[in-house]
Structures are given as structure tokens and as C-alpha cells.
Amino acid sequence: MSDFMLWLHANYIKPQIDSVPKQDYAFHLDIVRNNLRPAEQDSLDKALEFTAIQAFLLGLRTGEGLAYSRRVSRGSYL
């Protein structure tokens, strides 16, 4: 993974993910996190980092997020 993508994850992608309300998933996420040893939590964090970066790149490749932002800027939300 490039240094830029790791920086982007730490400074943009992860804060965006953390700001999303977890609602029905909070309980399940807590169960997973609380049942892991510290070394396993580090492995989970790296796996989530990789997945989030790949999902972000997929969004760029498909232009999915860009299409939404164009609709919002024109005043048409859906």
C-alpha cells in the first residue's frame, strides 16, 4: 500500500467511517472487538484498513461517489 493511501485512510477515510452512526451494528461490532486479544485487534484494524482503502479505490474507479456529489451540487438528491 502506498504511503499516500495509508495517509488518506488515517486522515480522511477512517474519520468518515467513524462518523457514520452504527445503529443496529454497534452491538455486534463491540462483541467482535471485545473478544479479541490486543494482537488480534491490531490484525483486525489492519484488515479493516485494507478493506476501507480498497472500497474507496473501487468508488473512485466506478465514479459512484462522484455521481452522487454531482446530483447533490445540482440540488437533486436522489
Side-chain angles (χ1 to χ4, degrees):
M1 200 72 52
S2 74
D3 289 341
F4 174 72
M5 290 309 300
L6 295 174
W7 177 88
L8 188 66
H9 177 266
N11 294 286
Y12 177 73
I13 299 170
K14 187 167 182 344
Q16 292 291 321
I17 292 171
D18 291 343
S19 71
V20 173
K22 304 298 186 271
Q23 298 170 346
D24 295 338
Y25 296 96
F27 173 73
H28 302 286
L29 294 168
D30 287 341
I31 287 175
V32 170
R33 175 87 44 208
N34 294 334
N35 286 315
L36 297 176
R37 295 179 299 213
E40 293 170 329
Q41 288 181 5
D42 291 341
S43 294
L44 175 63
D45 290 339
K46 290 306 280 182
L48 293 173
E49 177 183 86
F50 175 80
T51 305
I53 289 171
Q54 296 307 312
F56 178 81
L57 291 173
L58 178 62
L60 285 179
R61 283 186 216 112
T62 61
E64 188 61 33
L66 299 174
Y68 174 76
S69 67
R70 283 195 308 263
R71 287 192 305 265
V72 169
S73 68
R74 289 188 298 219
S76 170
Y77 295 100
L78 290 176

